[in-house]
Amino acid sequence: MDIEHLNIVLTALADKGWCVLPDFLAPEAVAGLRAECLERHGAGAFHDAGVGSGQAAVVWEIRGDHILWVEVDDPHPAVQAYIDSTEALRQAVNRDFFLGLHELESHFAVYPPGTYYKKHLDRFRDNDRRTLTTIVYLNEDWTEADGGLLRFWPDPSGTGETIDIVPAGGTLVAFLSELYWHEVLPARRTRLALTGWYKRR
């Protein structure tokens, strides 16, 4: 993660608590992650995403994505490049905001056509460790017509005007996990992302 991108993210987080940054990852990095995501999904490594912490229940009325957790020692070069970028961000956020971010948990997410994730917060009711959410999109040539937009509520009350973010490949979305409501609108083609949460001890 270069210093210019890092400063953009830090400034936005300081000003408003959230950030949308196109081209966070270079096209070749996005292509590598996309290929690895699709290969692992095709091999049956993913599972249906659940709702809630612990033994999360699968609730199709709320979300329909498939996920695969990413290990920090994953040997794939593209995955390691992603982990390196997120580690640089963790260190910078801790330096500037004293959030005490300790680790990143992240997963690949695949949304088959027709699936979605209803409006929610990323902070669990019984666990407040998730502090900063990051989403990196891996989609190729995505447009609004493909659906799957991230609907985001800038007002922490979860009311008022919304922003619809196109999940274009390489785009980073980052926000404070406990404050910002968001929703994945129904996708019209397979939608890919790497979603992560920086956690406090």
Side-chain angles (χ1 to χ4, degrees):
M1 187 177 190
D2 64 53
I3 190 67
E4 180 181 358
H5 281 170
L6 195 58
N7 286 336
I8 291 171
V9 175
L10 294 174
T11 299
L13 290 176
D15 288 347
K16 54 190 180 181
W18 59 275
C19 175
V20 179
L21 176 61
D23 303 319
F24 168 73
L25 290 182
E28 57 271 20
V30 176
L33 287 166
R34 178 169 57 246
E36 189 64 11
C37 177
L38 290 172
E39 181 177 337
R40 296 181 188 189
H41 188 259
F46 284 59
H47 64 273
D48 297 334
V51 177
S53 59
Q55 297 295 318
V58 175
V59 184
W60 294 109
E61 293 80 8
I62 296 177
R63 65 185 298 187
D65 54 320
H66 309 156
I67 64 170
L68 175 65
W69 293 100
V70 175
E71 303 297 332
V72 294
D73 58 352
D74 190 303
H76 192 277
V79 177
Q80 273 304 309
Y82 159 77
I83 291 171
D84 290 345
S85 294
T86 57
E87 174 60 16
L89 179 57
R90 184 189 71 83
Q91 293 182 14
V93 168
N94 277 346
R95 182 194 65 226
D96 284 18
F97 303 118
F98 308 103
L99 291 180
L101 305 181
H102 171 60
E103 62 180 349
L104 176 76
E105 63 174 12
S106 60
H107 63 55
F108 285 111
V110 174
Y111 286 81
T115 57
Y116 50 82
Y117 193 164
K118 293 292 188 179
K119 182 180 178 181
H120 63 284
L121 287 173
D122 282 350
R123 176 72 66 85
F124 295 128
R125 292 179 183 176
D126 58 351
N127 187 329
D128 65 356
R129 291 188 63 206
R130 284 184 175 180
T131 304
L132 181 67
T133 298
T134 61
I135 309 166
V136 179
Y137 294 112
L138 309 178
N139 305 297
E140 186 174 22
D141 301 325
W142 198 275
T143 69
E144 286 194 30
D146 295 315
L149 304 181
L150 180 71
R151 179 156 291 170
F152 186 85
W153 280 260
D155 188 327
S157 69
T159 62
E161 294 185 359
T162 59
I163 297 171
D164 286 348
I165 300 164
V166 177
T171 296
L172 168 75
V173 180
F175 53 88
L176 296 174
S177 304
E178 68 176 333
L179 292 182
Y180 295 103
W181 293 86
H182 53 289
E183 174 180 8
V184 177
L185 301 180
R188 299 190 181 97
R189 52 184 274 224
T190 301
R191 177 190 190 273
L192 311 177
L194 254 173
T195 303
W197 299 272
Y198 293 92
K199 300 169 69 175
R200 297 181 295 201
R201 290 186 186 276

